[in-house]
């Protein structure tokens, strides 16, 4: 039996006569369809949140408030505006797609770690008195994982994947630094990237 490691550039060819599952996350199209479905969930949540005058944002992370712990799970699904969601969409799809190519188990494990641990760290260190929403902490976690995997695996396919993502989304790295914009939680970005 052939063993296969998660590959960043799609699935190895199967022997003739076998059919590949339609939503195989290790295939380019399967991964794109799955991350597209996850993105569609974000848009559905945003539609209803906007229809309720963004009242759902109260379920975001509220640092060091016990009732703000629910936000650890809900933060990635909530956005402060359509513009906020739109600015997260391309990196969410692209980096999520690259991570999905390594397999559904890796994707789910990394996502769960980043959401739970990254958002919990954000809850611990972010300034109190604010509500933090958005998928950017998750995006930075995914990117952090892919860069770390490239560094530690020293395999050319992972290095190329990480380099391409860093070249394409290099401007995102400025979000890891404190800014004068109080609406941007750089703490969420740093915590997500560190956990990734």
């Amino acid at each position: 039996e052939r063993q296969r490691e998660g590959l960043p550039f799609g699935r190895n060819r199967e022997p003739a006569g076998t059919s590949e599952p339609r939503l195989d996350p290790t295939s380019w199209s399967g991964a794109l369809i799955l991350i597209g479905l996850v993105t569609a969930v974000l848009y559905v949540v945003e539609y209803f949140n906007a229809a309720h005058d963004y009242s759902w944002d109260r379920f975001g992370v509220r640092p060091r408030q016990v009732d703000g712990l629910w936000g650890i799970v809900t933060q990635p699904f909530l956005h402060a505006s359509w513009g906020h969601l739109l600015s997260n969409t391309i990196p969410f799809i692209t980096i999520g797609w690259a991570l999905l190519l390594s397999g559904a188990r890796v994707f789910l494990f990394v996502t769960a770690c980043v959401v739970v641990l990254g958002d919990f760290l954000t809850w611990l260190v972010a300034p109190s008195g604010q509500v933090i929403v958005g998928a950017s902490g998750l995006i930075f976690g995914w990117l952090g994982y892919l860069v770390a995997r490239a560094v530690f695996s020293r395999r050319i396919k992972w290095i190329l994947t990480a380099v391409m993502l860093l070249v394409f989304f290099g401007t995102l790295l400025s979000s890891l630094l404190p800014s004068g914009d109080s609406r941007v939680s750089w703490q969420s970005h740093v915590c997500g990237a560190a956990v990734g």
Side-chain angles (χ1 to χ4, degrees), residues 3-28:
Q3 288 187 324
R4 184 178 57 83
E5 178 189 344
L7 301 174
F9 299 114
R11 181 174 207 147
N12 289 344
R13 284 203 109 140
E14 294 295 327
T18 62
S19 63
E20 195 172 293
R22 288 181 187 226
L23 286 180
D24 175 14
T26 60
S27 73
W28 286 42

Side-chain angles (χ1 to χ4, degrees), residues 53 84 122:
D53 200 27
H84 184 204
T122 302

Side-chain angles (χ1 to χ4, degrees), residues 63-189:
R64 287 175 305 289
Q65 294 182 17
V66 174
D67 58 348
L69 283 168
W70 286 108
I72 289 173
V73 176
T74 58
Q75 174 189 342
F77 298 98
L78 301 168
H79 290 81
S81 67
W82 283 105
H84 184 204
L85 176 57
L86 287 170
S87 70
N88 279 337
T89 299
I90 291 176
F92 186 88
I93 290 172
T94 308
I95 298 170
W97 173 74
L99 180 58
L100 255 173
L101 288 173
S102 59
R105 279 185 295 201
V106 171
F107 177 83
L108 292 172
F109 179 75
V110 172
T111 299
C113 286
V114 170
V115 167
V116 174
L117 297 176
D119 289 351
F120 179 72
L121 288 174
T122 302
W123 181 84
L124 284 175
V125 302
S128 58
Q130 61 179 261
V131 179
I132 302 168
V133 294
S136 53
L138 177 58
I139 293 166
F140 274 100
W142 289 343
L143 184 59
Y145 170 80
L146 290 169
V147 169
R149 186 164 187 174
V151 169
F152 292 112
S153 74
R154 296 187 182 134
R155 298 188 67 163
I156 191 69
K157 59 190 170 189
W158 289 111
I159 293 169
L160 288 175
T161 301
V163 167
M164 286 189 298
L165 289 172
L166 287 172
V167 166
F168 197 65
F169 296 110
T171 56
L172 286 177
L173 299 180
S174 64
S175 300
L176 293 172
L177 302 172
S179 72
D181 189 348
S182 60
R183 297 172 301 159
V184 176
S185 175
W186 61 271
Q187 297 91 348
S188 176
H189 300 170

